[in-house]
Amino acid sequence: MFDICLIRERELEKVRQAACDWDTCWAWHDPVLQVARAQWRNTTDLGFLVLDKTRGDKILAIVPLVLVLPHKFSTFTGGYLESTGGPAIDPNLPAKTVGKTWRTILAHFKDTAKNFGSRRLDISCPPLSRSQLLAQKATVNPLCHLPVSDSSSQTWILQLDD
């Protein structure tokens, strides 16, 4: 059985260790940076984990998420959800578990959006994760598992020193 837990309610060192171990993670998956992001004006940290209860609360996914309220007219327009870095899923999971993890993440996104009256959800992928930096060829957008509007772009990195 999978469970959802807010990142801030867990032992941060375990989350940090997973973020360091998984090559799909980047800086935004580190809970320390998520706490810092939540300090921004009109921002609430809603980052969450997907846990496997049958395996001693093993972390299956780290999902940075914040609610951002507009500076003005928030009672009329509502806020939006932002997942900078997007979901990072344990790269060692079997395909069946990965699929179930994606479905759990999507259901939580929908519930959170409904609960907070969000206008939209912005999700980005981490172009500087180790898995992307070490890729020998173009990779599939990991968000293709979600029913989202794709506005993919590319990141170019140039070495400027000799």
Side-chain angles (χ1 to χ4, degrees):
M1 179 174 156
F2 292 177
D3 224 1
I4 296 290
C5 171
L6 292 176
I7 292 172
R8 65 178 178 261
E9 295 175 351
R10 300 306 276 188
E11 184 181 331
L12 293 186
E13 272 312 306
K14 287 184 180 179
V15 181
R16 289 191 89 190
Q17 190 61 53
C20 287
D21 291 345
W22 300 352
D23 66 356
T24 54
C25 289
W26 191 57
W28 288 108
H29 296 97
D30 186 321
V32 172
L33 204 55
Q34 293 178 43
V35 168
R37 173 64 171 97
Q39 302 307 307
W40 294 10
R41 186 174 166 201
N42 296 335
T43 303
T44 303
D45 177 26
L46 300 174
F48 63 95
L49 304 170
V50 178
L51 305 173
D52 186 345
K53 298 298 270 180
T54 64
R55 294 173 45 190
D57 283 348
K58 176 180 173 33
I59 299 173
L60 304 179
I62 303 170
V63 186
L65 184 67
V66 292
L67 172 68
V68 180
L69 296 175
H71 299 292
K72 296 180 182 179
F73 310 114
S74 61
T75 55
F76 301 113
T77 60
Y80 68 93
L81 297 170
E82 181 181 293
S83 181
T84 304
I89 296 176
D90 182 343
N92 300 310
L93 296 176
K96 186 175 179 180
T97 306
V98 170
K100 187 175 177 185
T101 303
W102 274 112
R103 289 188 296 278
T104 303
I105 291 167
L106 178 59
H108 189 70
F109 278 155
K110 288 179 177 179
D111 289 344
T112 303
K114 183 179 177 182
N115 290 340
F116 288 96
S118 301
R119 297 178 282 139
R120 69 177 195 267
L121 166 63
D122 294 339
I123 309 171
S124 63
C125 296
L128 297 177
S129 68
R130 288 189 311 272
S131 63
Q132 291 297 314
L133 289 173
L134 299 174
Q136 298 297 314
K137 58 184 178 182
T139 58
V140 174
N141 182 340
L143 300 177
C144 68
H145 300 281
L146 301 175
V148 297
S149 298
D150 186 10
S151 59
S152 294
S153 63
Q154 295 181 339
T155 299
W156 291 80
I157 300 174
L158 301 174
Q159 185 171 342
L160 298 176
D161 62 342
D162 289 331

